[in-house]
Amino acid sequence: MSDPLQKSGRMTVVSQELSDLKFVKLHSPKMKSVYWQHFGFPTNEHDRIITKQNVVCTLCHKVLTNHGNTTNLRAHLQHRHKDIFQKICIENGIRIPPRRPLTKAGNSSTGPGRMAVKRDPLRQKVKMECRDTIQDTSNTGSLQGEEPSMLYETMVPMTYEDDDVIDNDHFVKVEVSGSGNGLKTKSNITDHSTMEVITMNAKYTSGPNYRSEMGEMVNQYQLQDALVNMVINDVRNVDTLYDQGMSIFIRTLCGNVELPSDKKIEALIRELHSDKLTTLSNQIKMHSQMKPYSLGFEIWKNVENKHFMSIYFNYTTDAPEYNLLNQLYCTVEYNKFTSIDEIFEEFNLENCAAAIVSYEYDDYLKHFLKSKNIPIILSYDVTVDKCLKLVFALSDVISIIDQVKEMIMRYGSEISSKDVDIPTINDEFPWTFYELLKFFSETVSWPEDVDILVASSKVIVDTLNILAITLDTLKGEEIPHSSMLSPITSKIVNKKLALSDTDDELVANIKTTISSELQNVVIADHHLTIAALLDPRFHRLTTVKNLGKCIQILTSKYNQMHQQDVGTVAMTKDTIEHKPATSTSRKSNLEIFFDIQDEPAPISVPQEDCNIENDLKRYRTEVYVNLDESPFSWWNKLGHVYGSLKRLAPIYQCMPCVVNMNFKKPVKQQIYEQHKRFMLTGTLIDAILFLHNNNDNKFD
């Protein structure tokens, strides 16, 4: 059905309920009721639903309150669009029972003791309608002997706008007759076949819960929303809502309420996921066609031993924010039949700057990325974890850890009596071993006969502490850039992990193990080196052992971007006077880590006929930027001095150094959240994880 409100400009709808509601067009929800054909939710120019608390009539643009049912919608059509309402009733076999004649004030038909009253807008009312399952050609009623089906709608505030008065005896007990002879009304029958209709006091319906003579009750729609949010926020399976303990808890709060079915909850989650994913997916795909971006791949498995791949999309925003954003795009079951090409069918993979992966040994994913000429970068938190695992695999370290575990086991009851939590080891999280050694060497006072073991544990902790400091430095960034890895690692390897004469065999082995791994994974990576070179904060702090290869890669990328101007670019002739940024705030984590004291060097006037190598040489000689300055802003303001590099810099600015931001959380929380994800099963894994991770994020 075409949208009658879809226009190029912004439209303003004024109503009694919401006078400042502005929308461009309407979103037609996929509802079963025929009344929804003429109503929709207001949306903005980005096709995002503004609110679901109100619905708008597509015929007259009237704004109505959404009570979670079709009572308002039907009443509006019945009294404002009578022809259309009559057509709906005829086409769908809906027969509205005739309303009782309402007595006017002063009318003789009122009778003794009967008074006409004005309608109280807070008074509740039940409306009912009969649907004919079999109709004759005239659609005038049901066949003889047929039992009409009663549709009792939820009690909501009355919405009929032309009801001036209402009969006090309008609410009665309704009995559904099994003989098919229609409806009978009774006033004093209380057998089990009678459904009692109760008018609720307004004070009980103003909030999510209300009380009736039947006991505690709750608004079913609010309960559904609460359960959906519980599934999403807690990353749990829908069937856990129906565990005995959970059911008792809900009924303790809400009374003897009937829980919505699991199918209903699943349908709501799918609908919410579809709405958000459609908006996000369209904008992500459009971004991939025009601007550089990077991808993140996390491979994991669940309790059913099924492997899954979560895919992240990384991109940079435009001025004035210049932020790097990290967003979960989808999660798919990952096996030999998974078609990665289909996932990125509508993406322009030529604009993909790199793929950050959390799983080093997956050949299938590597083959796909290499076939698309996408560089592969191992997530830095995974690199650090690998360093720790290699250290804890050393024979001397294994022996020390075994002795530590034995001592803690021997004195476990005594330690626990001191109200101290003993760290628990988890093989998948090597930082738990570090915390155990730190606990053993620093928290507990041991007998003198274990002093050597305490000292050895302390040596391991002190040597590994540099990796903890490195991660703490990255945690100081909202989203750490890949340009940070090469300079940080260079300082670690050259200063903190350099061997000295005072190092014993254990310390030397640990330093050599970590240094070798960081050299191979980080410092030797050409793309991480380029990312650091094109970050004006770090190009002087990076150890460059492969400059020739870096220039070759940059030249190749530049030639692809400028097919007609191979190797050269026109430079502006304006003279730029560069003033280093000054900051009166305290030093950032990066400033503390590098402890920079150098003075800035002046920037020269741009020269003509420059190429990648010449631009890079001048850039490395002339540029000095404080560590707290934004590289995005610097390239936007001063990058034209090094024109060829300015075109290449955005490619490497959209690359975070980790797949996601989970590494920022405490280790115990990481284990807990991984366990919750591990327990996910069924067909809603993608929807639950997507909604959980994108709960507050918006694609701009």
Side-chain angles (χ1 to χ4, degrees), residues 614-678:
N614 291 338
D615 283 350
L616 188 60
K617 183 177 180 180
R618 290 192 304 109
Y619 165 80
R620 297 189 68 196
T621 304
E622 301 167 353
V623 174
Y624 177 93
V625 175
N626 289 341
L627 292 176
D628 59 349
E629 186 169 344
S630 168
F632 304 101
S633 300
W634 187 91
W635 279 108
N636 185 58
K637 295 176 182 178
L638 302 171
H640 62 278
V641 180
Y642 313 96
S644 59
L645 299 183
K646 181 180 180 180
R647 298 299 304 273
L648 294 167
I651 298 177
Y652 296 91
Q653 291 173 347
C654 61
M655 295 162 42
C657 64
V658 290
V659 173
N660 52 48
M661 301 303 117
N662 289 338
F663 80 100
K664 292 186 175 184
K665 302 173 183 177
V667 177
K668 185 177 293 186
Q669 184 178 352
Q670 293 182 40
I671 297 174
Y672 175 65
E673 293 188 356
Q674 187 200 62
H675 176 72
K676 291 196 298 183
R677 186 179 67 176
F678 175 76

Side-chain angles (χ1 to χ4, degrees), residues 41-71:
F41 294 120
T43 63
N44 58 19
E45 63 272 12
H46 301 296
D47 291 332
R48 296 176 183 168
I49 296 176
I50 299 173
T51 177
K52 288 191 177 181
Q53 301 299 319
N54 297 85
V55 293
V56 182
C57 175
T58 60
L59 302 173
C60 65
H61 303 173
K62 174 70 175 178
V63 179
L64 304 177
T65 302
N66 180 20
H67 291 289
N69 52 53
T70 60
T71 304

Side-chain angles (χ1 to χ4, degrees), residues 327-338:
Q327 198 130 24
L328 177 63
Y329 174 60
C330 69
T331 299
V332 297
E333 187 174 350
Y334 186 57
N335 51 48
K336 63 181 181 180
F337 301 107
T338 302

Side-chain angles (χ1 to χ4, degrees), residues 82-131:
K82 297 182 180 180
D83 294 340
I84 294 178
F85 179 75
Q86 185 177 6
K87 182 179 179 182
I88 291 176
C89 292
I90 294 175
E91 291 178 351
N92 296 276
I94 300 174
R95 180 165 56 86
I96 304 299
R99 304 187 65 185
R100 295 184 60 180
L102 301 179
T103 57
K104 303 291 183 178
N107 194 324
S108 59
S109 63
T110 304
R114 296 181 61 86
M115 296 181 61
V117 295
K118 293 290 288 184
R119 175 175 67 88
D120 182 0
L122 296 179
R123 184 174 178 182
Q124 308 302 313
K125 175 180 180 178
V126 174
K127 307 178 187 67
M128 61 185 179
E129 58 180 313
C130 302
R131 184 183 298 273

